[in-house]
Amino acid sequence: MNYGYIRVSTREQNESRQLLALHNAGICDTNIYFDKQSGKDFERPAYSRMVEKLQKDDVLFIKSIDRLGRNYEEILEQWRLLSKEKQIDIVVLDMPLLDTRCCKDLIGTFLSDIVLQVLSFVAENERSNIRQRQSEGILAAKKRGIRFGRPPLPLPDNFANTCHQWKQGKITGTEAAKICKMPLSTFRYKALHHKE
């Protein structure tokens, strides 16, 4: 039986690209498992269901090697689990050398393992480089004076007077926040940084 697996994060928009590649490989929709995850977690309920269903000699198609895991170790662990424990074949569509259906002799397995390790390392290294480039870009932008996030809302017209009354102890922070129609924590923060 042939299966396909798709994983995208909430930030990515490449689900259709992966789906098209699996359809072109002849995988029907009923045998395609799909996970969408946030960047902060790596829970993959569809992947877990698929792994339970896989039987010896089934074939799993994935678009690229990094669909198996977030990092080098995870990719290698999943590859070992699928190919050695579950005894299924794996086809990585972006990398024809990673097709365990061919060259099942010792040399073929050895070459496949080497390619897998190199590609897993490259995938993790590229993710690391992307994160570094992002942080360098943000730092450079901040040095140029570019601000990130929402621009601050203008203070209400009555803020200065209300802030003065609060600092004089004439009204409480809760009353001042209500007068200015803003949350208490926001009022306190703005009031502490407000120059009279």
Side-chain angles (χ1 to χ4, degrees):
M1 187 74 74
N2 291 343
Y3 293 94
Y5 178 65
I6 294 173
R7 176 177 64 81
V8 294
S9 74
T10 52
R11 293 169 299 185
E12 293 176 304
Q13 298 300 321
N14 64 353
E15 168 191 342
S16 57
R17 186 175 56 87
Q18 292 181 60
L19 189 60
L20 180 63
L22 293 175
H23 284 160
N24 288 341
I27 313 300
C28 62
D29 284 335
T30 54
N31 284 358
I32 294 176
Y33 289 79
F34 172 78
D35 280 316
K36 188 163 202 163
Q37 65 179 78
S38 69
K40 66 181 180 189
D41 64 46
F42 201 64
E43 293 176 10
R44 300 186 291 172
Y47 181 80
S48 298
R49 285 194 310 275
M50 180 192 69
V51 169
E52 283 178 28
K53 191 170 184 178
L54 291 170
Q55 301 291 317
K56 182 180 177 186
D57 297 326
D58 284 343
V59 183
L60 172 62
F61 289 80
I62 53 175
K63 176 82 169 94
S64 58
I65 192 66
D66 61 352
R67 301 303 89 190
L68 286 182
R70 290 176 297 184
N71 55 46
Y72 177 74
E73 276 125 24
E74 207 163 63
I75 292 169
L76 293 180
E77 173 59 26
Q78 290 306 309
W79 188 277
R80 187 196 59 74
L81 167 79
L82 295 168
S83 63
K84 305 289 191 271
E85 288 183 29
K86 298 296 281 186
Q87 297 181 17
I88 68 155
D89 282 310
I90 306 169
V91 178
V92 181
L93 296 170
D94 280 355
M95 182 52 61
L97 283 172
L98 288 178
D99 182 345
T100 61
R101 296 172 302 175
C102 24
C103 304
K104 291 203 173 213
D105 60 5
L106 187 59
I107 292 177
T109 303
F110 174 69
L111 288 175
S112 180
D113 285 349
I114 288 175
V115 171
L116 169 68
Q117 293 201 28
V118 169
L119 289 176
S120 301
F121 172 77
V122 168
E124 181 175 359
N125 196 46
E126 181 56 23
R127 279 191 296 274
S128 175
N129 288 341
I130 288 169
R131 283 193 297 272
Q132 183 177 346
R133 286 193 297 267
Q134 284 173 335
S135 62
E136 287 170 356
I138 290 168
L139 188 63
K142 284 181 177 178
K143 283 183 179 176
R144 289 193 313 269
I146 295 172
R147 296 183 61 146
F148 292 88
R150 291 185 306 195
L153 295 172
L155 294 172
D157 294 336
N158 63 352
F159 181 80
N161 184 40
T162 307
C163 182
H164 180 72
Q165 289 180 19
W166 174 70
K167 287 182 177 178
Q168 297 281 313
K170 295 178 181 175
I171 57 174
T172 67
T174 304
E175 291 170 326
K178 194 179 263 188
I179 292 168
C180 291
K181 296 181 180 160
M182 60 176 54
L184 177 58
S185 58
T186 304
F187 173 79
R188 282 190 177 146
Y189 176 80
K190 301 280 188 189
L192 290 173
H193 293 87
H194 181 69
K195 291 182 176 130
E196 295 188 28

